[in-house]
Amino acid sequence: RYDYVEQLVSPELAWEWLRRNEAYQRDYADVVATAGVAQPLNEAAQQRWVFDFPVRPSLDAKKAELFWIPKEDTGVVILIATPAVLSSDVGVLPTEVASVERVDEHGHHFHHPLANGQHLTLLRLADVPSDQSLVAVVPLDLDGFGRIEAVTRLLSALHGRSVPPDTRLTRQQLQRARRMLQAVDGHMSGASHRDIAEVLFGARRLADEPWKTSSHRFAVMNLIKGGLAMISGDYRRLLSHRRRR
């Protein structure tokens, strides 16, 4: 059931935490009741969840169509019209490959598929035609390094090269995230810490230590604590690349 977690990239894992947030679930129900899923969240909700468009909480990350606020998600490639000082016959995106698209006052948000089965989120700013040659925006702050990584991935896909990985999550972080999700789901379903530990570590391993002082008991408690913090808002940290110094 949780095998897919270890294949997720940062924006997808962030969604796994957000969709478990009860306040988000209520906001989603309110928005869908009044505006529908294709309409952007209101500004207050966008700032609260750093999310642009509502997504049904029952959808896991592989089925959800996710659009995080570009300011927060450093993996979003922001596109503008090519300035006159550069050649105007390069950088036109093949628009027919865009798999999912949403529109708001900032422009056209869409998913650009990659050869490795993943996708990049792109934002073509408002008033830039789809057939216009484009350049990517890279801010000159520390987040620029993350933007450069995203642009490199897009360029590799466009020019038939091997697409480098999204480096925001390590294999070890994904493995821990899987256990955190399992522990939190068990906790939210009313399972005891010992029941959760048996699922995560196996009953035989638990028999090696008294439960009250067991390292597995404290491991479960830490996993639940970390998972609840992610649900409460720490998921936002997953959207940014680690800052270089």
Side-chain angles (χ1 to χ4, degrees):
R1 178 183 171 188
Y2 292 89
D3 289 348
Y4 73 98
V5 174
E6 295 188 34
Q7 308 303 318
L8 300 179
V9 292
S10 289
E12 295 170 337
L13 181 57
W15 167 246
E16 286 296 336
W17 296 117
L18 176 58
R19 75 187 184 99
R20 288 165 166 81
N21 185 300
E22 292 182 355
Y24 171 76
Q25 294 168 9
R26 291 192 295 270
D27 267 7
Y28 171 83
D30 291 344
V31 169
V32 170
T34 57
V37 295
Q39 298 300 313
L41 295 169
N42 62 49
E43 184 175 355
Q46 286 184 357
Q47 296 305 314
R48 183 159 57 249
W49 309 120
V50 299
F51 212 51
D52 269 329
F53 297 89
V55 177
R56 182 153 46 97
S58 60
L59 294 176
D60 68 39
K62 289 301 185 183
K63 297 176 182 176
E65 298 170 352
L66 306 172
F67 292 93
W68 298 95
I69 292 178
K71 179 178 68 174
E72 301 291 338
D73 183 357
T74 56
V76 176
V77 179
I78 300 170
L79 303 168
I80 61 174
T82 303
V85 294
L86 296 178
S87 172
S88 62
D89 60 354
V90 296
V92 178
L93 281 175
T95 56
E96 69 275 4
V97 302
S99 56
V100 180
E101 183 174 1
R102 297 285 188 272
V103 180
D104 64 11
E105 72 274 15
H106 301 298
H108 293 254
H109 306 251
F110 55 100
H111 291 166
H112 184 87
L114 304 175
N116 61 5
Q118 299 175 358
H119 68 260
L120 279 171
T121 300
L122 313 183
L123 169 59
R124 189 178 73 248
L125 293 187
D127 301 325
V128 178
S130 60
D131 59 352
Q132 170 74 54
S133 63
L134 302 168
V135 294
V137 175
V138 177
L140 297 180
D141 59 12
L142 289 174
D143 283 341
F145 292 106
R147 303 285 181 187
I148 288 172
E149 178 182 290
V151 172
T152 300
R153 300 183 79 216
L154 176 60
L155 286 171
S156 298
L158 290 174
H159 297 286
R161 299 185 181 182
S162 177
V163 178
D166 185 321
T167 62
R168 284 175 285 184
L169 288 173
T170 66
R171 174 64 60 189
Q172 291 75 20
Q173 287 172 319
L174 284 167
Q175 290 171 346
R176 178 170 174 77
R178 173 179 175 165
R179 286 189 168 184
M180 287 172 66
L181 283 165
Q182 287 180 277
V184 163
D185 284 350
H187 173 74
M188 295 174 74
S189 298
S192 69
H193 289 173
R194 187 179 182 93
D195 288 341
I196 294 169
E198 286 186 2
V199 171
L200 293 178
F201 307 113
R204 182 175 298 178
R205 292 180 64 183
L206 298 189
D208 294 338
E209 303 174 273
W211 175 244
K212 286 190 176 181
T213 57
S214 171
S215 60
H216 296 105
R217 175 172 175 260
F218 292 108
V220 167
M221 293 168 64
N222 284 333
L223 289 169
I224 293 172
K225 180 180 179 181
L228 292 176
M230 282 289 182
I231 291 171
S232 295
D234 281 1
Y235 66 85
R236 295 174 175 87
R237 295 188 287 107
L238 300 173
L239 299 172
S240 298
H241 288 75
R242 292 184 295 277
R243 293 190 171 212
R244 303 182 186 184
R245 297 293 182 185

